[in-house]
Every structure is written in C-alpha cells, then in structure tokens.
Amino acid sequence: MHLGRTTLSKFLIEQLRDAPGQSALAALLVDVAAATKAISAMVGRGALGPGIASPLGGAELRNSAGDVQKPLDVLTNEAIVSHCEWGGLLAGMVSEEMEAPYAIPAQYQRGEYLLVFDPLDGSSNIDVNVSVGTIFSVLRHDGKAAPTTADFLQPGTKQVAAGYAIYGPATMLVLTVGHGTHGFTLDREVGNFIMTHPDLRVPEETSEFAINVSNERFWEPPVARYVTECKAGKTGVRGRDFNMRWIASMVADVHRILMRGGVFMYPRDSKDPSKPGRLRLLYEANPMSLLIEQAGGAASTGRAPILDVAPAELHQRVPVILGSKAEVERIVRYHHEYDRGEDKPYISPLFNERSLYRPEARA
Ligand code: AHG
Ligand code: MN
Ligand code: MN
C-alpha cells in the first residue's frame, strides 16, 4: 500500500489547482494515464495477447507515412482515442497512426485542448519483448470551431503538457506540465501511478551516447566528428572513455538519459534526402524535448532548438539531438563550426568528399 504517497491524480490536482482554467488539463492527463494503463496491460500480455502477428495473414499494413503498421500500433491508437474522446476536454487528436486529424465525434462535447501522440513507440521491438512506450503532447486550441490541420502546427514551445509511458519491467509515466519533469510508477495491484521520481534532473556529466551506428556513412561531418571523438576515449580529445547504448525505442533511450545522463541522436542524414531525420516533430521530438529541457537538459536539431521549429506538416520529421546539456551544446557547436567552415583540422575518414556536405550544397 502507498498510504501517504503522491498519486498521479493528487499531483495533477495540486500542480494545476492554482492555474486558472487548468483543472481540465488535469482531467485530460488522468484520461491519458488511464489509456496508458490499458496499453500496459495489452503490451504486457506479449505473445498471449492480440497484436504480434499481422491481421492480414502475412500481408503488411502500412500507415500514411509508409511505416509498417503492426496490429498493436492500431490497437494502442484506438485505446487512446477511446479513453480521451468522450470527456469534453479535447477538440481533436493527431497520431502517428492517423493520417488526418481526428475530430471529436458530434455526440461528445468539444474541449479546448489538442492531443498529439505516438501510441506505440519502438514497435519494431514488440515481437522481441523489449521495452516500448507511448509519447504524447498537449496543445491548446483557441476557438470554437473544430480544429483544422493548421491548428496542430504549433511549435514545441506552445506545449502545455508532455509525457511518455514506458512499458518496461515496470510501467512508468513521466510527464511535465511546465514545472519540472516527474516520474510515476504503476502499482499494478492497486492500479495507481505513484510518484517515485519527483523533479528528475538529467545529469550534466555524462560518458554515454546513443545513436544507430549502422547509419554512420550517411551522417553529416559534425555528428561523425562527435562520435569519432567519443570512440577515441581516453586516447582522444575527450580524454575519457565513453559507452554506447541503442535500444531502438526512443522512449527507452530517453528514459535512460533522464535517469543517468547521456546524449541521444537521430540526426539529419543523407540516407533519404526527402527526410530530414527519422523522428516526428509533433509527437516524438517535441514532447521528449520539453521533458528533457524541464529536467535541465537540452534538445536541438544540431542547428536550432527543437522546441523553436515551426511545423509545416503534421507528420514532419526532424533531426534530434537531446540529453545532457554540455554534450548537446558541444554537438551544436560542431554543427556551427562545420557550417562556417571552421572545423578544418578534423577530417573524418568517412567524409573526405567534403564538397558533398558543404552547407551551400545542402541549401
Ligand atoms: P515507432 O516505433 O513509433 O515508429 O518509432 C521508432 C523510432 C524510435 O523509437 C527509435 O528511436 C527509432 O525509431 C529506431 O530507429 P532504427 O530502427 O533506425 O534503430
Ligand atoms: Mn515512435
Ligand atoms: Mn509508433
């Protein structure tokens, strides 16, 4: 039992009580949390539950962006929609698994918030029983009309709340309403999220980086420079050894960084020139960036703060570099030095064809 401990509801009521008109935000976040409890139960059944095999008997379903859609991607999306559409708190929703904005059905009241989410992050890991998660972000909707696509295209600085659930050995909810980043652990017997990690701070000193090294040949020189220096360890300019981790679930990688520091990168690369990164701005990069910044870390595209990026499309992708502040600032400096042509002493063996990567060639 957790007598006297802070439940998620108590925390939200206390945090938002004095903010005018924000009790609706607390109620919305309680609905989102209820959806994550349902997803936790769904995901926790593993191969005993629905959703590992394709419903088409081998044929692949794809979402609007062309990503393979697993049954659990669809089921988790439905779980969030059904938990959050009825309460009169939302004006609309956007998700990785829905091409167009979801309008609140006419039988329900329309509220003043927008919910954007990735219902199942890391879904490529679901059939190997590795941690997955749900990422969400809450924006305001001003006005009485049903929201249009343009209403969702708000920069990350406008988020009023952001969070993720991680379905690992324990299920946790990590969230911010703009006053720090706080972690709650699901007590499965009681069904409550209990505050276990108040005021998370990303450790400033770190010797750990996370990046998918199989993309190395597509990286830009500043990212190659940073990783090469980390790998050189004690014998290189950093003068200490680094460790590398890559879970391939952004939620799990970011969670580790919140707990013990480090830097996470899914940078711009040249793999597919039509995609400026892999991760989505509205429902992956923005909520994670707000959580990291509220915990004292930093988040950048390499050239600008992620939270300042003005979205042009719902499912827009963006380069992501986030984590311990000093490391992110170093990587941003490497981008600026490269763009100004000031990083001449460093020539990665991978990028001796520099002209391909000159800023003017990229413009
Ligand atoms: P999703 O499962 O929602 O499509 O997101 C997967 C993302 C992210 O969680 C992770 O960091 C990245 O894709 C993994 O990419 P690689 O397959 O290149 O490792
Ligand atoms: Mn994702
Ligand atoms: Mn997903």
Side-chain angles (χ1 to χ4, degrees), residues 139 162 176 197 223 289 315:
L139 300 162
T176 180
H197 297 71
V223 170
S289 299
H315 300 286

Side-chain angles (χ1 to χ4, degrees), residues 42-317:
M42 231 185 252
V43 168
R45 289 192 52 75
L48 301 174
I52 302 284
S54 164
L56 302 182
E60 275 178 350
L61 271 177
R62 292 192 178 260
N63 67 15
S64 59
D67 299 337
V68 172
Q69 215 174 23
K70 300 203 169 180
L72 267 178
D73 287 317
V74 178
L75 293 169
T76 53
N77 191 70
E78 284 168 3
I80 295 180
V81 168
S82 63
H83 277 84
C84 299
E85 66 180 347
W86 61 275
L89 305 164
L90 284 179
M93 300 185 226
V94 154
S95 126
E96 182 182 23
E97 307 305 335
M98 301 188 289
E99 183 169 9
Y102 179 85
I104 299 302
Q107 73 260 37
Y108 303 124
Q109 275 193 340
R110 200 184 294 137
E112 56 191 31
Y113 293 104
L114 305 173
L115 182 67
V116 296
F117 57 96
D118 174 358
L120 191 61
D121 175 67
S123 61
S124 69
N125 284 326
I126 196 72
D127 37 7
V128 290
N129 198 18
V130 165
S131 295
V132 291
T134 296
I135 312 172
F136 60 90
S137 158
V138 181
L139 300 162
R140 267 188 198 289
H141 176 60
D142 299 323
K144 300 261 175 282
T148 61
T149 292
D151 293 317
F152 286 88
L153 301 179
Q154 303 182 35
T157 47
K158 298 272 188 196
Q159 294 172 102
V160 293
Y164 64 79
I166 177 166
Y167 313 111
T171 288
M172 285 187 68
L173 190 73
V174 175
L175 64 79
T176 180
V177 292
H179 310 287
T181 294
H182 311 279
F184 302 80
T185 303
L186 180 61
D187 181 332
R188 292 181 208 267
E189 282 167 39
V190 182
N192 270 344
F193 277 111
I194 306 293
M195 182 179 259
T196 47
H197 297 71
D199 258 318
L200 285 163
R201 304 304 294 167
V202 181
E204 299 199 356
E205 283 296 309
T206 173
S207 298
E208 217 164 77
F209 64 99
I211 191 166
N212 182 344
V213 178
S214 70
N215 293 324
E216 186 166 6
R217 68 191 184 283
F218 304 113
W219 294 342
E220 290 188 286
V223 170
R225 172 184 175 187
Y226 179 77
V227 173
T228 302
E229 289 177 0
C230 290
K231 288 194 295 185
K234 274 199 186 101
T235 60
V237 293
R238 300 303 305 270
R240 66 181 198 269
D241 289 338
F242 278 73
N243 206 348
M244 199 280 286
R245 290 283 183 275
W246 185 250
I247 300 172
S249 286
M250 186 194 202
V251 163
D253 281 309
V254 170
H255 189 68
R256 183 191 61 250
I257 286 168
L258 271 171
M259 295 292 142
R260 67 173 195 217
V263 63
F264 170 92
M265 289 172 276
Y266 218 118
R268 175 186 293 278
D269 66 34
S270 60
K271 196 171 188 176
D272 176 349
S274 71
K275 294 180 184 166
R278 163 129 163 71
L279 299 169
R280 315 312 173 92
L281 175 59
L282 287 187
Y283 43 79
E284 290 179 319
N286 272 344
M288 291 311 206
S289 299
L290 187 62
L291 289 164
I292 288 283
E293 289 202 357
Q294 285 288 318
S300 172
T301 65
R303 295 182 167 91
I306 288 176
L307 295 178
D308 288 347
V309 175
E313 288 170 29
L314 289 181
H315 300 286
Q316 177 173 339
R317 297 173 195 261

